[in-house]
PDB file of all heavy atoms in Angstrom:
ATOM      1  N   THR A 219      91.221 108.032  47.665  1.00  0.00           N
ATOM      2  CA  THR A 219      91.645 107.179  46.627  1.00  0.00           C
ATOM      3  C   THR A 219      90.731 107.378  45.423  1.00  0.00           C
ATOM      4  O   THR A 219      91.151 107.313  44.270  1.00  0.00           O
ATOM      5  CB  THR A 219      91.563 105.697  47.050  1.00  0.00           C
ATOM      6  OG1 THR A 219      90.301 105.457  47.622  1.00  0.00           O
ATOM      7  CG2 THR A 219      92.637 105.398  48.072  1.00  0.00           C
ATOM      8  N   MET A 220      89.456 107.643  45.705  1.00  0.00           N
ATOM      9  CA  MET A 220      88.532 107.932  44.601  1.00  0.00           C
ATOM     10  C   MET A 220      88.965 109.183  43.820  1.00  0.00           C
ATOM     11  O   MET A 220      88.969 109.257  42.633  1.00  0.00           O
ATOM     12  CB  MET A 220      87.131 108.122  45.205  1.00  0.00           C
ATOM     13  CG  MET A 220      86.014 108.134  44.258  1.00  0.00           C
ATOM     14  SD  MET A 220      85.836 106.496  43.611  1.00  0.00           S
ATOM     15  CE  MET A 220      84.899 106.804  42.196  1.00  0.00           C
ATOM     16  N   MET A 221      89.377 110.234  44.604  1.00  0.00           N
ATOM     17  CA  MET A 221      89.842 111.468  44.018  1.00  0.00           C
ATOM     18  C   MET A 221      91.067 111.189  43.179  1.00  0.00           C
ATOM     19  O   MET A 221      91.162 111.752  42.074  1.00  0.00           O
ATOM     20  CB  MET A 221      90.163 112.500  45.087  1.00  0.00           C
ATOM     21  CG  MET A 221      89.008 113.127  45.784  1.00  0.00           C
ATOM     22  SD  MET A 221      89.922 114.094  46.942  1.00  0.00           S
ATOM     23  CE  MET A 221      89.077 114.763  47.961  1.00  0.00           C
ATOM     24  N   ALA A 222      91.993 110.345  43.682  1.00  0.00           N
ATOM     25  CA  ALA A 222      93.237 110.054  42.916  1.00  0.00           C
ATOM     26  C   ALA A 222      92.823 109.427  41.563  1.00  0.00           C
ATOM     27  O   ALA A 222      93.376 109.776  40.558  1.00  0.00           O
ATOM     28  CB  ALA A 222      94.081 109.147  43.777  1.00  0.00           C
ATOM     29  N   ALA A 223      91.906 108.452  41.662  1.00  0.00           N
ATOM     30  CA  ALA A 223      91.582 107.761  40.390  1.00  0.00           C
ATOM     31  C   ALA A 223      90.973 108.719  39.408  1.00  0.00           C
ATOM     32  O   ALA A 223      91.332 108.714  38.217  1.00  0.00           O
ATOM     33  CB  ALA A 223      90.525 106.688  40.778  1.00  0.00           C
ATOM     34  N   ILE A 224      90.096 109.565  39.889  1.00  0.00           N
ATOM     35  CA  ILE A 224      89.460 110.540  38.979  1.00  0.00           C
ATOM     36  C   ILE A 224      90.445 111.529  38.514  1.00  0.00           C
ATOM     37  O   ILE A 224      90.455 111.976  37.383  1.00  0.00           O
ATOM     38  CB  ILE A 224      88.199 111.159  39.605  1.00  0.00           C
ATOM     39  CG1 ILE A 224      87.179 110.067  39.827  1.00  0.00           C
ATOM     40  CG2 ILE A 224      87.695 112.297  38.826  1.00  0.00           C
ATOM     41  CD1 ILE A 224      85.845 110.507  40.265  1.00  0.00           C
ATOM     42  N   PHE A 225      91.368 111.886  39.345  1.00  0.00           N
ATOM     43  CA  PHE A 225      92.441 112.861  39.014  1.00  0.00           C
ATOM     44  C   PHE A 225      93.215 112.339  37.791  1.00  0.00           C
ATOM     45  O   PHE A 225      93.388 113.057  36.806  1.00  0.00           O
ATOM     46  CB  PHE A 225      93.311 113.157  40.165  1.00  0.00           C
ATOM     47  CG  PHE A 225      94.462 114.060  39.807  1.00  0.00           C
ATOM     48  CD1 PHE A 225      94.239 115.467  39.840  1.00  0.00           C
ATOM     49  CD2 PHE A 225      95.694 113.608  39.459  1.00  0.00           C
ATOM     50  CE1 PHE A 225      95.256 116.295  39.468  1.00  0.00           C
ATOM     51  CE2 PHE A 225      96.683 114.441  39.105  1.00  0.00           C
ATOM     52  CZ  PHE A 225      96.502 115.833  39.084  1.00  0.00           C
ATOM     53  N   ILE A 226      93.603 111.095  37.866  1.00  0.00           N
ATOM     54  CA  ILE A 226      94.400 110.546  36.820  1.00  0.00           C
ATOM     55  C   ILE A 226      93.660 110.607  35.538  1.00  0.00           C
ATOM     56  O   ILE A 226      94.204 111.117  34.492  1.00  0.00           O
ATOM     57  CB  ILE A 226      94.781 109.057  37.108  1.00  0.00           C
ATOM     58  CG1 ILE A 226      95.711 109.037  38.303  1.00  0.00           C
ATOM     59  CG2 ILE A 226      95.512 108.486  35.905  1.00  0.00           C
ATOM     60  CD1 ILE A 226      96.090 107.627  38.715  1.00  0.00           C
ATOM     61  N   ILE A 227      92.403 110.050  35.567  1.00  0.00           N
ATOM     62  CA  ILE A 227      91.694 110.011  34.296  1.00  0.00           C
ATOM     63  C   ILE A 227      91.491 111.415  33.775  1.00  0.00           C
ATOM     64  O   ILE A 227      91.732 111.665  32.567  1.00  0.00           O
ATOM     65  CB  ILE A 227      90.284 109.385  34.618  1.00  0.00           C
ATOM     66  CG1 ILE A 227      90.482 107.967  35.073  1.00  0.00           C
ATOM     67  CG2 ILE A 227      89.421 109.385  33.315  1.00  0.00           C
ATOM     68  CD1 ILE A 227      89.136 107.303  35.501  1.00  0.00           C
ATOM     69  N   MET A 228      91.088 112.309  34.585  1.00  0.00           N
ATOM     70  CA  MET A 228      90.745 113.685  34.194  1.00  0.00           C
ATOM     71  C   MET A 228      92.012 114.456  33.712  1.00  0.00           C
ATOM     72  O   MET A 228      91.952 115.239  32.787  1.00  0.00           O
ATOM     73  CB  MET A 228      89.953 114.420  35.187  1.00  0.00           C
ATOM     74  CG  MET A 228      88.606 113.800  35.444  1.00  0.00           C
ATOM     75  SD  MET A 228      87.657 113.623  33.923  1.00  0.00           S
ATOM     76  CE  MET A 228      86.279 112.667  34.465  1.00  0.00           C
ATOM     77  N   PHE A 229      93.099 114.205  34.411  1.00  0.00           N
ATOM     78  CA  PHE A 229      94.357 114.887  33.964  1.00  0.00           C
ATOM     79  C   PHE A 229      94.733 114.483  32.586  1.00  0.00           C
ATOM     80  O   PHE A 229      95.012 115.325  31.741  1.00  0.00           O
ATOM     81  CB  PHE A 229      95.474 114.594  34.977  1.00  0.00           C
ATOM     82  CG  PHE A 229      96.795 115.267  34.645  1.00  0.00           C
ATOM     83  CD1 PHE A 229      96.999 116.573  35.104  1.00  0.00           C
ATOM     84  CD2 PHE A 229      97.754 114.629  33.909  1.00  0.00           C
ATOM     85  CE1 PHE A 229      98.178 117.217  34.767  1.00  0.00           C
ATOM     86  CE2 PHE A 229      98.914 115.293  33.594  1.00  0.00           C
ATOM     87  CZ  PHE A 229      99.141 116.607  34.038  1.00  0.00           C
ATOM     88  N   VAL A 230      94.617 113.220  32.342  1.00  0.00           N
ATOM     89  CA  VAL A 230      95.062 112.714  31.035  1.00  0.00           C
ATOM     90  C   VAL A 230      94.064 113.223  29.970  1.00  0.00           C
ATOM     91  O   VAL A 230      94.522 113.724  28.892  1.00  0.00           O
ATOM     92  CB  VAL A 230      95.112 111.165  30.976  1.00  0.00           C
ATOM     93  CG1 VAL A 230      95.324 110.632  29.582  1.00  0.00           C
ATOM     94  CG2 VAL A 230      96.181 110.678  31.922  1.00  0.00           C
ATOM     95  N   VAL A 231      92.803 113.201  30.304  1.00  0.00           N
ATOM     96  CA  VAL A 231      91.766 113.749  29.359  1.00  0.00           C
ATOM     97  C   VAL A 231      92.105 115.240  29.076  1.00  0.00           C
ATOM     98  O   VAL A 231      92.042 115.658  27.905  1.00  0.00           O
ATOM     99  CB  VAL A 231      90.379 113.540  29.876  1.00  0.00           C
ATOM    100  CG1 VAL A 231      89.343 114.294  29.050  1.00  0.00           C
ATOM    101  CG2 VAL A 231      89.994 112.111  29.941  1.00  0.00           C
ATOM    102  N   GLY A 232      92.384 116.000  30.161  1.00  0.00           N
ATOM    103  CA  GLY A 232      92.562 117.439  30.020  1.00  0.00           C
ATOM    104  C   GLY A 232      93.837 117.636  29.201  1.00  0.00           C
ATOM    105  O   GLY A 232      93.927 118.506  28.298  1.00  0.00           O
ATOM    106  N   TRP A 233      94.857 116.918  29.519  1.00  0.00           N
ATOM    107  CA  TRP A 233      96.165 117.013  28.787  1.00  0.00           C
ATOM    108  C   TRP A 233      95.952 116.792  27.282  1.00  0.00           C
ATOM    109  O   TRP A 233      96.532 117.498  26.469  1.00  0.00           O
ATOM    110  CB  TRP A 233      97.087 115.984  29.376  1.00  0.00           C
ATOM    111  CG  TRP A 233      98.472 116.054  28.754  1.00  0.00           C
ATOM    112  CD1 TRP A 233      98.876 115.390  27.587  1.00  0.00           C
ATOM    113  CD2 TRP A 233      99.586 116.678  29.307  1.00  0.00           C
ATOM    114  NE1 TRP A 233     100.114 115.620  27.374  1.00  0.00           N
ATOM    115  CE2 TRP A 233     100.655 116.426  28.382  1.00  0.00           C
ATOM    116  CE3 TRP A 233      99.852 117.446  30.459  1.00  0.00           C
ATOM    117  CZ2 TRP A 233     101.945 116.973  28.593  1.00  0.00           C
ATOM    118  CZ3 TRP A 233     101.129 117.944  30.593  1.00  0.00           C
ATOM    119  CH2 TRP A 233     102.161 117.697  29.728  1.00  0.00           C
ATOM    120  N   ASN A 234      95.133 115.819  26.986  1.00  0.00           N
ATOM    121  CA  ASN A 234      94.953 115.483  25.572  1.00  0.00           C
ATOM    122  C   ASN A 234      93.936 116.300  24.834  1.00  0.00           C
ATOM    123  O   ASN A 234      93.701 116.040  23.659  1.00  0.00           O
ATOM    124  CB  ASN A 234      94.496 114.005  25.508  1.00  0.00           C
ATOM    125  CG  ASN A 234      95.677 113.074  25.804  1.00  0.00           C
ATOM    126  OD1 ASN A 234      96.820 113.463  25.675  1.00  0.00           O
ATOM    127  ND2 ASN A 234      95.371 111.848  26.207  1.00  0.00           N
ATOM    128  N   GLN A 235      93.321 117.255  25.506  1.00  0.00           N
ATOM    129  CA  GLN A 235      92.330 118.181  24.776  1.00  0.00           C
ATOM    130  C   GLN A 235      93.075 118.791  23.568  1.00  0.00           C
ATOM    131  O   GLN A 235      94.112 119.312  23.685  1.00  0.00           O
ATOM    132  CB  GLN A 235      91.811 119.237  25.701  1.00  0.00           C
ATOM    133  CG  GLN A 235      90.868 118.810  26.716  1.00  0.00           C
ATOM    134  CD  GLN A 235      89.570 118.246  26.103  1.00  0.00           C
ATOM    135  OE1 GLN A 235      89.093 118.802  25.198  1.00  0.00           O
ATOM    136  NE2 GLN A 235      89.163 117.158  26.681  1.00  0.00           N
ATOM    137  N   TYR A 236      92.322 118.775  22.451  1.00  0.00           N
ATOM    138  CA  TYR A 236      92.875 119.375  21.242  1.00  0.00           C
ATOM    139  C   TYR A 236      91.923 120.363  20.636  1.00  0.00           C
ATOM    140  O   TYR A 236      92.236 121.573  20.451  1.00  0.00           O
ATOM    141  CB  TYR A 236      93.211 118.288  20.221  1.00  0.00           C
ATOM    142  CG  TYR A 236      93.842 118.839  18.942  1.00  0.00           C
ATOM    143  CD1 TYR A 236      95.195 119.241  18.956  1.00  0.00           C
ATOM    144  CD2 TYR A 236      93.036 119.046  17.847  1.00  0.00           C
ATOM    145  CE1 TYR A 236      95.745 119.787  17.785  1.00  0.00           C
ATOM    146  CE2 TYR A 236      93.561 119.565  16.672  1.00  0.00           C
ATOM    147  CZ  TYR A 236      94.938 119.965  16.689  1.00  0.00           C
ATOM    148  OH  TYR A 236      95.406 120.516  15.525  1.00  0.00           O
ATOM    149  N   LEU A 237      90.714 119.851  20.364  1.00  0.00           N
ATOM    150  CA  LEU A 237      89.746 120.681  19.670  1.00  0.00           C
ATOM    151  C   LEU A 237      89.392 121.928  20.437  1.00  0.00           C
ATOM    152  O   LEU A 237      89.384 123.087  19.913  1.00  0.00           O
ATOM    153  CB  LEU A 237      88.467 119.853  19.390  1.00  0.00           C
ATOM    154  CG  LEU A 237      87.414 120.527  18.600  1.00  0.00           C
ATOM    155  CD1 LEU A 237      87.908 121.022  17.222  1.00  0.00           C
ATOM    156  CD2 LEU A 237      86.177 119.621  18.476  1.00  0.00           C
ATOM    157  N   TRP A 238      89.064 121.743  21.717  1.00  0.00           N
ATOM    158  CA  TRP A 238      88.634 122.925  22.574  1.00  0.00           C
ATOM    159  C   TRP A 238      89.722 123.950  22.711  1.00  0.00           C
ATOM    160  O   TRP A 238      89.405 125.164  22.369  1.00  0.00           O
ATOM    161  CB  TRP A 238      88.229 122.313  23.883  1.00  0.00           C
ATOM    162  CG  TRP A 238      87.701 123.369  24.877  1.00  0.00           C
ATOM    163  CD1 TRP A 238      88.355 123.809  25.962  1.00  0.00           C
ATOM    164  CD2 TRP A 238      86.450 124.055  24.840  1.00  0.00           C
ATOM    165  NE1 TRP A 238      87.564 124.774  26.600  1.00  0.00           N
ATOM    166  CE2 TRP A 238      86.415 124.895  25.911  1.00  0.00           C
ATOM    167  CE3 TRP A 238      85.306 124.022  23.949  1.00  0.00           C
ATOM    168  CZ2 TRP A 238      85.272 125.794  26.152  1.00  0.00           C
ATOM    169  CZ3 TRP A 238      84.293 124.887  24.208  1.00  0.00           C
ATOM    170  CH2 TRP A 238      84.296 125.722  25.313  1.00  0.00           C
ATOM    171  N   PRO A 239      90.875 123.717  23.066  1.00  0.00           N
ATOM    172  CA  PRO A 239      91.929 124.713  23.125  1.00  0.00           C
ATOM    173  C   PRO A 239      92.159 125.363  21.753  1.00  0.00           C
ATOM    174  O   PRO A 239      92.366 126.525  21.690  1.00  0.00           O
ATOM    175  CB  PRO A 239      93.208 124.013  23.616  1.00  0.00           C
ATOM    176  CG  PRO A 239      92.778 122.745  24.219  1.00  0.00           C
ATOM    177  CD  PRO A 239      91.467 122.370  23.531  1.00  0.00           C
ATOM    178  N   ALA A 240      92.083 124.549  20.698  1.00  0.00           N
ATOM    179  CA  ALA A 240      92.290 125.130  19.392  1.00  0.00           C
ATOM    180  C   ALA A 240      91.287 126.165  19.049  1.00  0.00           C
ATOM    181  O   ALA A 240      91.574 127.209  18.323  1.00  0.00           O
ATOM    182  CB  ALA A 240      92.274 124.036  18.327  1.00  0.00           C
ATOM    183  N   LEU A 241      90.086 126.028  19.604  1.00  0.00           N
ATOM    184  CA  LEU A 241      89.003 126.984  19.317  1.00  0.00           C
ATOM    185  C   LEU A 241      89.118 128.147  20.236  1.00  0.00           C
ATOM    186  O   LEU A 241      88.862 129.321  19.849  1.00  0.00           O
ATOM    187  CB  LEU A 241      87.652 126.346  19.466  1.00  0.00           C
ATOM    188  CG  LEU A 241      87.128 125.504  18.274  1.00  0.00           C
ATOM    189  CD1 LEU A 241      85.839 124.796  18.690  1.00  0.00           C
ATOM    190  CD2 LEU A 241      86.903 126.436  17.058  1.00  0.00           C
ATOM    191  N   MET A 242      89.407 127.919  21.452  1.00  0.00           N
ATOM    192  CA  MET A 242      89.265 128.948  22.525  1.00  0.00           C
ATOM    193  C   MET A 242      90.505 129.866  22.543  1.00  0.00           C
ATOM    194  O   MET A 242      90.401 131.000  23.043  1.00  0.00           O
ATOM    195  CB  MET A 242      89.114 128.299  23.940  1.00  0.00           C
ATOM    196  CG  MET A 242      87.780 127.632  24.106  1.00  0.00           C
ATOM    197  SD  MET A 242      86.420 128.719  23.812  1.00  0.00           S
ATOM    198  CE  MET A 242      85.511 127.815  22.622  1.00  0.00           C
ATOM    199  N   THR A 243      91.628 129.335  22.142  1.00  0.00           N
ATOM    200  CA  THR A 243      92.821 130.162  22.279  1.00  0.00           C
ATOM    201  C   THR A 243      93.495 130.313  20.911  1.00  0.00           C
ATOM    202  O   THR A 243      93.800 129.349  20.244  1.00  0.00           O
ATOM    203  CB  THR A 243      93.874 129.552  23.283  1.00  0.00           C
ATOM    204  OG1 THR A 243      94.127 128.226  22.822  1.00  0.00           O
ATOM    205  CG2 THR A 243      93.264 129.527  24.667  1.00  0.00           C
TER     206      THR A 243
END
Side-chain angles (χ1 to χ4, degrees):
Chain A
T219 49
M220 194 70 198
M221 285 179 191
I224 292 189
F225 177 82
I226 295 179
I227 298 175
M228 293 307 171
F229 181 83
V230 174
V231 171
W233 182 278
N234 287 338
Q235 285 297 318
Y236 180 79
L237 182 60
W238 180 253
L241 279 173
M242 291 302 127
T243 55

